[in-house]
Amino acid sequence: MQGPAWEYGGYSRMTSYTKVLTRIIAVALGGSLSACVAAKVSTVPPDAGMMKLEEGNRRYAASPVSAGKPTAARRAETAQSQHPFAVIVACADSRTSPEIVFDQSIGDLFVVRTAGNLAGEHALGSIEYAVVHLGVRLVVVLGHERCGAVTAALAGPAGHGSLGSLVRDIQPAVEAIRSAEGDSLVNAVAKNAELVAAKIRREAEFGEMRGKVRVVAAVYDLDTGKIEWLDH
């Protein structure tokens, strides 16, 4: 990211219209933003969220045919509100849908997807929204085997335009594993997920929720369907 971490379009994220408005509402209600939100949402502890994701992935990886989702009933249940138990920052790759690989239904996961599972300005804002407004306490950065964006970053310098920005943001992972033993793509995919998780811990503004949110990195195996947890 170029320039100060919190600047975008001449305005800091902390002084954006939406955040100012929500803080004004919180004060008008006689409490902090976090306190007001906490009164309205239920939260799933990070450890319980991890267990649900692990169990779901085991079901997905072991089942020859995916079980049918209760689409109509779940759609009706979630039509007026959402209570996801985890944020998944995933790659846009069509083979890595978090709801499928974790065997979850609509309303269970708050998913943020970009090529290379990166956490730019809009992704960070989305994660903050899920934590502060929806009560999510678990954030998972999910890389995947043979990622095309990471492969492009390994191939050389970034190109022009928005596509080049993806490659540039993955370059720190490429440099970090330059002298590491083993397969460079495997190493870079894992390191990129770890660095994105570290960035979220460092830069996301969770306010009073900081210290209560767990951010972890993982890699999805396209061949087996299994998730490898990197810092579980």
Side-chain angles (χ1 to χ4, degrees), residues 40-226:
K40 297 180 180 180
V41 300
S42 59
T43 63
V44 175
D47 288 348
M50 283 290 297
M51 186 176 299
K52 292 181 71 170
L53 292 179
E54 290 171 341
E55 291 175 350
N57 180 244
R58 281 195 291 270
R59 289 194 302 271
Y60 164 74
S63 301
V65 179
S66 296
K69 302 293 184 186
T71 306
R74 186 62 173 160
R75 183 173 63 246
E77 181 183 348
T78 59
Q80 300 303 319
S81 63
Q82 60 172 321
H83 304 284
F85 68 86
V87 172
I88 311 295
V89 181
C91 184
D93 190 293
S94 62
R95 302 165 292 178
T96 63
S97 174
E99 292 89 348
I100 293 177
V101 305
F102 286 115
D103 193 32
Q104 302 299 318
S105 189
I106 56 175
D108 291 331
L109 304 178
F110 194 89
V111 178
V112 181
R113 300 183 72 175
T114 66
N117 42 271
L118 297 169
E121 184 78 12
H122 294 134
L124 284 172
S126 299
I127 296 165
E128 291 170 5
Y129 174 82
V131 168
V132 177
H133 291 268
L134 302 179
V136 176
R137 296 294 177 262
L138 175 63
V139 180
V140 177
V141 179
L142 183 63
H144 70 91
E145 184 185 31
R146 299 192 292 274
C147 178
V150 177
T151 300
L154 282 166
H160 298 291
S162 299
L163 187 58
S165 71
L166 296 173
V167 174
R168 285 192 296 273
D169 283 355
I170 298 172
Q171 282 298 324
V174 172
E175 294 303 317
I177 59 89
R178 186 74 68 184
S179 59
E181 297 182 357
D183 186 282
S184 59
L185 180 54
V186 171
N187 293 338
V189 164
K191 178 57 68 175
N192 182 56
E194 291 172 341
L195 291 180
V196 173
K199 178 179 180 179
I200 294 169
R201 296 187 198 105
R202 183 176 64 251
E203 297 187 6
E205 294 185 2
F206 295 146
E208 295 175 18
M209 297 302 104
R210 183 168 294 282
K212 300 179 181 179
V213 179
R214 185 176 180 186
V215 183
V216 300
V219 174
Y220 172 66
D221 190 308
L222 294 171
D223 299 303
T224 67
K226 295 180 179 180

Side-chain angles (χ1 to χ4, degrees), residues 17-30:
Y17 175 79
T18 301
K19 288 193 174 183
V20 170
L21 181 60
T22 53
R23 290 183 187 282
I24 290 173
I25 292 172
V27 172
L29 292 174

